[in-house]
Amino acid sequence: MISRVLSAELAQHAGQRVTIAGWVHRRRHLKSVSFLVVRDRSGLAQAVTDLPDLPTEESVVEVTGTVEVNSRAPGGVELVRPEIEVVSAPAEAPPFDLYRPVVTASLPTVLDHAPVTLRHPRLRAPLEISAASVAGFRQALDRLGFTEIHTPKIVASATESGANVFGIDYFGRPAYLAQSPQFYKQAMVGVFERVYEVGPVFRAEPHDTVRHLAQYTSLDAELGFVRDHRDVMAVLREAVAGMLESVRARASHAVELLGAALPEVPAEIPAVHFSEAQRLTGESEPDLSPAQERWLSEWALREHGSEFLFVTGYPMAKRPFYTHPDPDRPGYTNGFDLLFRGLELVTGGQRLHRYDDYVRALAERGESLEPYEGYLQAFRYGMPPHGGFALGLERWTARLTGAANIRQTTAFPRDLHRLSP
Ligand code: AMO
């Protein structure tokens, strides 16, 4: 019987007749012989033939051949005397040759033709790194006793400050696409104590930048019985270390292909208070600008040898109403950001946990309780001190791979102008 194998496994089958299945990556005709390079999920394999007509690039094929060792072939083996069956022929050629190692096409061309361009090994690699990162996130939090949850993406009220929500018509009632699972993950702390979610969130971002998408993947966590935000930061450190460990273990090929330099996660990530960050950068605005974030990252690398930096104690005015104030420093919060290679990667903090504190916080911001009734239920029935964080997956992958634009790290980006494919 002829066995079906992956291209990466061919070497284990020297001398045998086997079948591989995949896409025609490349055809090369020399004087007396031709090469057919087939791409499958494990990599590339070459078949050598004297057949004159080979199926065009991106044809889906099954190739049955005898495995022969040849040090000049990719992977050290090739298929000889192949029989080639075309399973499905493409209607047209891709917009550029997917076998050329370097992509010179513009980003809009790549994105407009994503279903085929993502097959290019270099364009696929960031997605492999994302997938490995998510697997590592889950693993790290599972180890720490977290339960994975799934919360609604169609919601009745905005969670983060209201301006950037997408409104939708929900059976004739106004509703919104969730900007974050914030309220639900907090409520679920009352159920499981420690929860996480990997899911899409929606932001009607009016700005066209290289670090904002209208839909992105948020890696959220929330945990109860914390002393304060520092316990949350310690869990985040473990999650990030787990993500990197998984990238090393499961996506080493993609890392190598992109020449991505993976960072070390210090046993304790350095932290600087917001007021100190302002002093260091010589600014006094109530928020950090992208330029300040870049400066602070360089400072952390210089002073602490770390590519990660926590900024803690953001001012009350800049954080959402659910943020826990710093009991020792009026005007400041137990909220933090994690900067990674010059960019805000994570926002998190300790939350209010008493019902009366929520009522007061909403009143102080001139908000009525009514839209928050569903959310506030959790706090009527007893909630422990808790906190959590959200990490933007696309920003993470962009910073890991050195992608200049966040759109290069997600298969089908959504932004101000792009709604398809
Ligand atoms: P925040 O709104 O800061 O916090 O978002 C958390 C993280 O999500 C990423 N991010 C984005 N990525 C791509 N495109 C965007 N438009 C975009 N906006 C944000 C960033 C950011 O650090 N509920 C809180 C989190 C919490 O406190 O648990 C929240 O959503 O990496």
Side-chain angles (χ1 to χ4, degrees), residues 237-254:
R237 190 258 163 218
E238 293 309 304
V240 168
M243 290 165 76
L244 281 166
E245 195 184 307
S246 174
V247 168
R248 284 196 180 91
R250 301 165 78 129
S252 58
H253 178 75

Side-chain angles (χ1 to χ4, degrees), residues 220-235:
D220 273 88
E222 197 75 20
L223 62 148
F225 300 98
V226 298
R227 279 171 311 164
D228 58 29
H229 56 293
R230 286 168 300 180
D231 288 343
V232 180
M233 289 155 63
V235 167

Side-chain angles (χ1 to χ4, degrees), residues 36 55 83 107-108 146 156 167 170 180 194 206 211 232 245 254-255 283 290 303 332 340 352 382 392 401 403-404 421:
L36 187 76
E83 297 158 53
L107 186 57
F146 281 70
Y170 189 68
S180 91
R194 298 182 156 207
R211 59 205 166 86
V232 180
E245 195 184 307
V255 168
E283 298 278 345
E303 296 295 318
Y332 291 99
F340 173 42
L352 300 175
T401 60

